[in-house]
Amino acid sequence: MPNIVIIGTQWGDEGKGKIVDLLAENADIVARFQGGNNAGHTMVVEGQKFISHLVPSGILQGKHCVIGNGLVVDPAVLLKEIDYLAEKGINTGPDKLKISEKAHLIMPYHKAIDNAREQKKGDNKIGTTGRGIGPCYEDKATRRGVRFVDLIDETVFDERVRTILDEKNFYLKQYFNAPTIDPDQVIDEYKRYAERLVPYVTNVSVELDQAIHKGEQVLFEGAQGTHLDIDHGTYPFVTSSNTVSANACSGVGIGPRHIHGVLGIVKAYTTRVGAGPFPTELFDAVGDAIQEKGAEFGATTGRRRRCGWLDTVIVRNAVRLNGLTGLVITKLDVLGGQEVIKVCNAYDYKGETLSEFPTDLKIVADCKPVYESLPGWDEDIRDIRRREDLPENARRYLARVEELTETPIDIISVGPGRQETIVLNNPLT
Ligand code: GDP
Ligand code: IMO
Ligand code: MG
């Protein structure tokens, strides 16, 4: 039974939530393996919209959902999400949702430091989501994180928080001139979260291994996108985790032989929220039209997303970095009405043609996209369910994307709804 990883190929918000929700129908388990509530994954089912930040997007299909050790979890946000989904009649109990005992907890000081840092950076800020993601991963790497396993024993938790806060408060007060945090308040607050969350905490690696051996099918849900990866993205304008497919294994505790395919989600154009390089960004009426038609506002922070043409230099990068076996093109409907659609296939750097994304951001800043222009279409395609019924120019566009990325398209999304999809090859069936 194939286990498949779903990954964003660009800078996030490619439509991962919609596709995970759709494909979850044929999965037994949906597992998140990295990130935190910086993610905002949207699902639209029978006209109802759900946005999940932490709970895997398989929950609406009633599947078992797993929060892996690779995540950083804000317990208040998780509980809010659990309650919100439960109010809608969705089972989010410990029989459906599991949290790794090794996942790290986002603490109030992580959020305070994230925001204080961004403020201090002024114009040089990264434009983080302010959710404490970077400072939490930083504590994980420097071995002073707090994990779910620590929530189980009150004495351990108490001592750990007091020791860490001693240092954090010094940093907050002396370096940022920011308010300090009262350890008693944090301990009280987190004890309340523990009462509700401890029943969800388990050894995810063991449970997934057992499920896989029983022949259950796992869908791994990536968050963010390949170019926000801490190693392979546009550093330092990235998030603080590995977003690429290989991390699906270490982020839940299974070996690579259990992964059988990787689907890369490609928005039919490009968006980015937050700061950082974006070679094909549009600053004209076309960019505004795409932003408006695509309703490109962040699902987490509500920020306006920057918009531009499809950049196949970065998609090719994602094909290699993730070992993509297939592509999912989303939001194809949004390009309808454009007379001409441009696709970037290389960069021009001072007269030299570059086919790979440069690591040095000073070089990226001087790169001009090399575009090819394709004819657009006017038809509304949201009701189309077969590739051959798409307007000829939409088919041409898709065929060109396949050529430029040397990767087949498995799914085409033509609207936000679960059903507004053309499935050419379902990797789970
Ligand atoms: P994710 O973070 O990758 O899950 O993506 P987001 O949910 O942040 O952003 C994608 C947005 O596009 C959401 O509002 C989706 O409802 C919407 N969306 C997804 N697929 C399509 C599509 O094919 N067409 C249109 N018009 N909207 C889509
Ligand atoms: P999904 O899963 C788009 C961006 C932030 C910022 C940078 C670092 O919905 O695709 P962080 O808070 O992670 O330290 O911010 O990463 N970012 C995202 N952009 N979609 C996301 O998630 C993102 N998660 C983080 O805007 O530029
Ligand atoms: Mg999103």
Side-chain angles (χ1 to χ4, degrees), residues 97-358:
L97 178 66
K98 309 279 182 195
I99 307 168
S100 166
E101 50 199 6
K102 296 176 188 164
H104 280 246
L105 286 157
I106 293 183
M107 305 295 289
Y109 46 84
H110 292 137
K111 287 180 270 189
I113 292 170
D114 193 359
N115 289 305
R117 267 191 196 145
E118 285 283 278
Q119 218 178 344
K120 200 174 169 100
K121 278 192 182 135
D123 286 348
N124 295 322
K125 68 178 179 205
I126 289 167
T128 72
T129 58
R131 305 298 194 257
I133 306 295
C136 188
Y137 276 117
E138 177 181 324
D139 277 356
K140 174 178 176 173
T142 52
R143 293 155 295 186
R144 47 187 174 173
V146 183
R147 302 189 297 172
F148 273 88
V149 67
D150 304 320
L151 268 187
I152 295 169
D153 186 325
E154 273 188 24
T155 336
V156 171
F157 185 73
D158 198 293
E159 197 191 303
R160 205 154 169 75
V161 170
R162 284 183 203 284
T163 313
I164 297 168
L165 256 183
D166 194 46
E167 184 185 328
K168 300 293 179 191
N169 275 337
F170 178 82
Y171 183 46
L172 279 167
K173 185 159 180 259
Q174 302 300 325
Y175 189 68
F176 294 115
N177 200 19
T180 55
I181 291 166
D182 176 9
D184 290 323
Q185 250 180 32
V186 175
I187 290 162
D188 268 8
E189 186 186 335
Y190 276 65
K191 266 183 195 159
R192 275 182 276 122
Y193 300 147
E195 277 165 27
R196 291 198 54 201
L197 289 176
V198 166
Y200 291 85
V201 178
T202 185
N203 187 328
V204 155
S205 167
V206 169
E207 293 205 8
L208 275 181
D209 190 60
Q210 283 168 354
I212 290 170
H213 278 96
K214 271 195 292 185
E216 291 191 11
Q217 213 161 357
V218 189
L219 193 56
F220 293 90
E221 176 178 10
Q224 290 78 57
T226 301
H227 295 84
L228 288 171
D229 182 280
I230 182 82
D231 284 288
H232 302 290
T234 46
Y235 191 91
F237 300 98
V238 292
T239 190
S240 297
S241 64
N242 281 114
T243 60
V244 292
S245 61
N247 194 29
C249 293
S250 41
V252 298
I254 60 148
R257 75 185 170 102
H258 296 305
I259 306 284
H260 307 103
V262 187
L263 270 190
I265 316 292
V266 183
K267 201 179 270 188
Y269 45 96
T270 313
T271 62
R272 176 162 204 169
V273 59
F278 180 175
T280 61
E281 184 168 10
L282 289 166
F283 299 95
D284 58 7
V286 174
D288 290 345
I290 292 175
Q291 196 275 335
E292 198 173 313
K293 190 165 180 197
E296 293 295 352
F297 289 98
T300 295
T301 56
R303 289 178 292 177
R304 190 185 160 97
R305 294 174 182 150
R306 301 154 65 192
C307 294
W309 294 119
L310 181 67
D311 182 345
T312 59
V313 176
I314 71 161
V315 179
R316 278 199 307 268
N317 208 25
V319 170
R320 185 185 71 258
L321 290 165
N322 297 294
L324 297 184
T325 48
L327 303 181
V328 177
I329 305 294
T330 60
K331 304 192 94 159
L332 187 64
D333 55 303
V334 175
L335 290 183
Q338 295 297 332
E339 207 174 316
V340 169
I341 296 173
K342 292 189 182 178
V343 181
C344 165
N345 57 31
Y347 301 144
D348 177 293
Y349 174 66
K350 298 182 176 171
E352 188 189 342
T353 302
L354 305 182
S355 55
E356 300 299 340
F357 198 93

Side-chain angles (χ1 to χ4, degrees), residues 13 39-41 299 305:
D13 304 325
H41 295 179
R305 294 174 182 150

